[in-house]
Amino acid sequence: MTLPGSSMNQPTFPELYERWLVNPLFRPWAEITLEEVGLSPGDRVLDIACGTGIVARIARERLGDGGYVVGVDISSDMLAVARAVAPGIDWREGNASALPLNDREQFDVVACQQGLQFFSDKPAAAAQMRRALATGGRLAVATWRSDDEIPFFRDLRRIAERHLGAIADLRHSFGDAAPLEALLQDAGFHDVRSRAITRTIHFQEGAPLLRLNTMALVGMSSVGKEMDDQERKRVVEEIVGESSPVLQPYTDGSGLAFELSTNLATAKG
């Protein structure tokens, strides 16, 4: 498979995300999410903040041609990879606070995996999820638990903060399940429930994860946002070098393994 933008051996961030993170990190949780809501023949599925589309792709695999799957993301670069990997899915560029839906278009299943914590207007996004979900339909929303509960990522953040000062890691910014449940209830969903799930995640190689995580931390820091490309690259290299020992306790002959926890909230329309 050739992904877009790979000329001269310079992959884009979405390509690196797809190559190194999707299968080991995001696919297991996507499978858990879809098992939680259950898929039935003929279901219409909406994947919000789809990234390169792993939830949508698994839904399509399970439903076959009898289902209809739509993936929405704000990033055209992420969607370019999604279209290259799975051209048969309806990929749409748009904001979660104003979903690009057709007139009266609704879905039997709406999923948002690890996207809600990044939305600037969460109530508006939740209202849009409710608008998109058919009466009696099923919603699933996953948000990572706080990285204070995840030693692997907590320790990597603390090393990065030596160079960057305090980092507000948006990936873990919606770690408490109670506000998540309240948000969905306020949006008009019924039977709102949530549970924390912990799984051991396996990577064949730790180095790509370490580099991509460091890039994310630098990008989210207020100091990193002020750097030019050259300075940002230098700081990433320094943090990667100092962070390598964190991987050692989690590494054996089969690769890297660590525990990761998420909230998984479900509701009905």
Side-chain angles (χ1 to χ4, degrees):
M1 176 185 67
T2 300
L3 295 174
S6 297
S7 61
M8 299 181 67
N9 298 316
Q10 294 295 322
T12 64
F13 181 82
E15 291 174 308
L16 295 171
Y17 173 98
E18 172 66 28
R19 183 176 304 165
W20 296 111
L21 299 183
V22 166
N23 278 329
L25 181 58
F26 292 108
R27 176 177 279 272
W29 298 105
E31 292 171 345
I32 291 170
T33 297
L34 292 174
E35 287 166 5
E36 193 81 4
V37 293
L39 293 179
S40 301
D43 270 348
R44 296 170 60 86
V45 179
L46 174 63
D47 180 8
I48 299 174
C50 65
T52 60
I54 189 59
V55 173
R57 283 146 49 186
I58 293 175
R60 181 60 184 271
E61 290 170 8
R62 296 185 177 184
L63 291 171
D65 294 336
Y68 179 59
V69 182
V70 173
V72 173
D73 201 271
I74 199 169
S75 169
S76 59
D77 293 335
M78 285 287 192
L79 291 174
V81 175
R83 291 188 180 103
V85 176
I89 292 174
D90 183 353
W91 304 109
R92 304 180 190 175
E93 184 175 347
N95 194 305
S97 299
L99 291 172
L101 304 181
N102 300 323
D103 186 38
R104 299 183 181 179
E105 184 177 29
Q106 290 189 312
F107 297 82
D108 305 293
V109 173
V110 173
C112 182
Q113 175 170 267
Q114 308 307 337
L116 180 62
Q117 56 266 52
F118 295 97
F119 300 160
S120 59
D121 191 339
K122 294 177 179 62
Q128 286 289 292
M129 293 179 195
R130 182 66 191 88
R131 168 190 167 218
L133 190 65
T135 301
R138 293 95 70 202
L139 172 77
V141 178
T143 61
W144 299 127
R145 299 286 295 179
S146 167
D147 69 353
D148 286 327
E149 300 178 20
I150 306 168
F152 179 78
F153 284 117
R154 178 198 64 204
D155 293 347
L156 292 177
R157 171 176 55 81
R158 288 177 176 174
I159 290 172
E161 286 178 333
R162 297 175 192 167
H163 297 261
L164 302 164
I167 299 171
D169 191 336
L170 291 176
R171 296 172 297 182
H172 301 278
S173 63
F174 219 50
D176 187 349
L180 174 58
E181 291 184 14
L183 179 74
L184 299 179
Q185 289 167 350
D186 290 345
F189 289 101
H190 307 289
D191 297 330
V192 177
R193 303 176 185 179
S194 70
R195 61 190 181 106
I197 304 173
T198 299
R199 291 288 186 274
T200 299
I201 301 300
H202 299 270
F203 283 79
Q204 291 185 342
E205 299 180 56
L209 171 63
L210 175 57
R211 181 167 296 277
L212 289 171
N213 185 68
T214 302
M215 291 168 63
L217 289 170
V218 173
M220 285 185 288
S221 71
S222 57
V223 173
K225 291 174 182 176
E226 300 298 321
M227 295 177 180
D228 59 30
D229 290 345
Q230 184 175 357
E231 178 69 4
R232 189 177 297 110
K233 182 177 179 180
R234 182 190 65 79
V235 171
V236 166
E237 294 300 329
E238 288 184 0
I239 295 172
V240 166
E242 291 183 22
S243 300
S244 294
V246 173
L247 275 60
Q248 293 175 4
Y250 301 94
T251 303
D252 57 24
S254 62
L256 180 73
F258 58 92
E259 286 194 343
L260 184 59
S261 300
T262 191
N263 298 308
L264 180 56
T266 57
K268 293 182 180 179

